[in-house]
Amino acid sequence: MLNSTEKNLLQQIAGISGFQPGSAFNLRANGTGVERHSTTNVTIRQKSDQPGIDIIVAPHTVGEQIHIPVIITDSGVQDLVYNDFYIGEGADVEIIAGCGIHNDGCDTSQHDGIHTFHIGKHAHIVYTEKHYGEGNGEGERILNPTTKIYMEEGSYAQMDMSQIKGVDSTKRITYARLRKDAKLVINEKLMTHGSQFAHSDVEVDLDGEDSVLQIVSRSVGKDDSKQVFHPIARGNNKCRAHVQCDSILMGNAKISSIPEIAANHVDAQVIHEAAIGKINSDQLIKLQTFGLNEEEAEQVIVDGFLR
């Protein structure tokens, strides 16, 4: 039975308060698997050689949701997990992940999740990962996700990754390799405040003919926080790639975008765009004419920007 703190974490990161009947589900809490359910078409099984699970989706499975949240409520937990996803040919599924840390103690709580996706021919996935931290303790809340994506011919993956709030430090590493006609969409949303630090490395090889990549990173840096966004896109065949980074700077925050793009084929089209700046004063004034104070107007703009 989950307590109120655990239910709140699940709600924040996955929009649920517990097991979803009829769906594939795996809950990891404080470094241990506590509840797991498979379905006819989705098998979730414990790894035998390292901490973590294998998620196996049968070919041509359509319309199923898979929930694999992680929560930490004990101070001082150091959790490392390896999850492998095997998405069968022609499958079309939604995967809802995420990690929430509630730390009321003085020791650091940390979760490092290493996720590897093997996406079969013409398969389609939407993956949602939210990170969230809370608690009144002095102990840090650290999340370091690593995501590896291997896409076969004609496959599609949409990776929606966001850091909501309360995470003191994060190092995000993402690597992908695309085969013929594969398409990868990465939407990254991030907000830092206080003295928080966030570093995101995204590296993609477009190896297949007519493969497509779209990366959109939106971030807000507040107070004295620091962010680094480092995307690398390599067009190794006839392909299209577009990388976009938009950031709002507030207070004394510092944000860096360090793009690397390479066209290693005559028909590769690789584009990068970046914009970093403060909130537009005209937008603030307009919202204030509707009765909002400056702080409320800023919040409306930030919420809309990260939506």
Side-chain angles (χ1 to χ4, degrees):
M1 182 70 68
L2 299 176
N3 61 37
S4 59
T5 298
E6 294 167 332
K7 289 181 178 179
N8 177 66
L9 287 178
L10 282 177
Q11 190 64 44
Q12 291 287 348
I13 64 174
I16 58 176
S17 57
F19 168 60
Q20 302 296 287
S23 69
F25 181 86
N26 187 88
L27 173 62
R28 185 176 180 87
N30 295 315
T32 304
V34 296
E35 188 169 8
R36 180 179 305 123
H37 301 275
S38 297
T39 66
T40 301
N41 296 313
V42 179
T43 300
I44 302 178
R45 65 188 184 195
Q46 183 73 31
K47 287 183 176 295
S48 59
D49 56 342
Q50 56 190 353
I53 54 176
D54 292 325
I55 301 96
I56 303 165
V57 179
H60 309 293
T61 299
V62 176
E64 292 209 31
Q65 279 192 340
I66 304 163
H67 289 85
I68 54 162
V70 174
I71 57 175
I72 295 176
T73 56
D74 292 342
S75 185
V77 172
Q78 303 291 308
D79 188 27
L80 171 64
V81 65
Y82 297 84
N83 294 336
D84 286 83
F85 300 79
Y86 300 90
I87 313 299
E89 180 177 353
D92 187 348
V93 296
E94 180 181 6
I95 302 166
I96 301 169
C99 180
I101 298 178
H102 181 100
N103 191 352
D104 279 334
C106 59
D107 297 319
T108 295
S109 292
Q110 179 172 335
H111 174 73
D112 295 350
I114 300 173
H115 290 181
T116 303
F117 292 83
H118 307 272
I119 305 175
K121 289 183 177 181
H122 307 291
H124 183 293
I125 71 165
V126 175
Y127 174 76
T128 303
E129 178 184 86
K130 292 183 179 180
H131 286 171
Y132 170 76
E134 64 176 26
N136 299 317
E138 296 180 357
E140 290 189 328
R141 295 166 290 272
I142 298 176
L143 291 166
N144 296 320
T146 297
T147 307
K148 302 175 184 179
I149 310 159
Y150 301 98
M151 303 182 65
E152 296 301 325
E153 179 180 342
S155 59
Y156 173 89
Q158 177 178 319
M159 317 295 286
D160 296 331
M161 305 184 215
S162 62
Q163 182 171 301
I164 305 168
K165 70 171 187 176
V167 178
D168 295 295
S169 174
T170 186
K171 178 68 183 290
R172 179 184 296 277
I173 299 173
T174 304
Y175 173 76
R177 186 187 67 205
L178 280 60
R179 299 298 192 191
K180 176 179 171 59
D181 293 319
K183 181 175 182 179
L184 173 63
V185 177
I186 297 176
N187 297 313
E188 185 175 84
K189 297 179 182 179
L190 172 70
M191 183 167 68
T192 55
H193 53 86
S195 58
Q196 295 174 350
F197 175 74
H199 188 121
S200 178
D201 289 331
V202 182
E203 183 179 356
V204 181
D205 280 306
L206 292 98
D207 290 343
E209 183 178 3
D210 293 321
S211 54
V212 176
L213 168 68
Q214 177 181 308
I215 300 174
V216 178
S217 173
R218 288 179 174 263
S219 71
V220 175
K222 297 182 177 182
D223 305 321
D224 295 307
S225 63
K226 296 179 181 179
Q227 300 179 16
V228 178
F229 179 57
H230 183 196
I232 302 173
R234 288 186 289 260
N236 302 321
N237 207 322
K238 178 188 175 185
C239 63
R240 291 183 290 116
H242 185 272
V243 182
Q244 179 179 336
C245 171
D246 295 318
S247 300
I248 291 178
L249 202 59
M250 303 173 70
N252 297 313
K254 295 178 174 62
I255 300 177
S256 300
S257 179
I258 310 169
E260 294 184 43
I261 58 175
N264 300 319
H265 188 280
V266 68
D267 291 320
Q269 300 178 40
V270 187
I271 299 169
H272 177 266
E273 297 179 84
I276 303 173
K278 65 180 181 180
I279 291 176
N280 187 290
S281 59
D282 291 339
Q283 291 179 312
L284 282 175
I285 293 171
K286 184 175 182 179
L287 286 171
Q288 286 175 299
T289 63
F290 295 126
L292 300 179
N293 61 37
E294 184 175 354
E295 184 177 346
E296 291 170 336
E298 286 182 346
Q299 191 60 51
V300 169
I301 292 171
V302 167
D303 290 344
F305 181 74
L306 293 176
R307 183 170 299 169

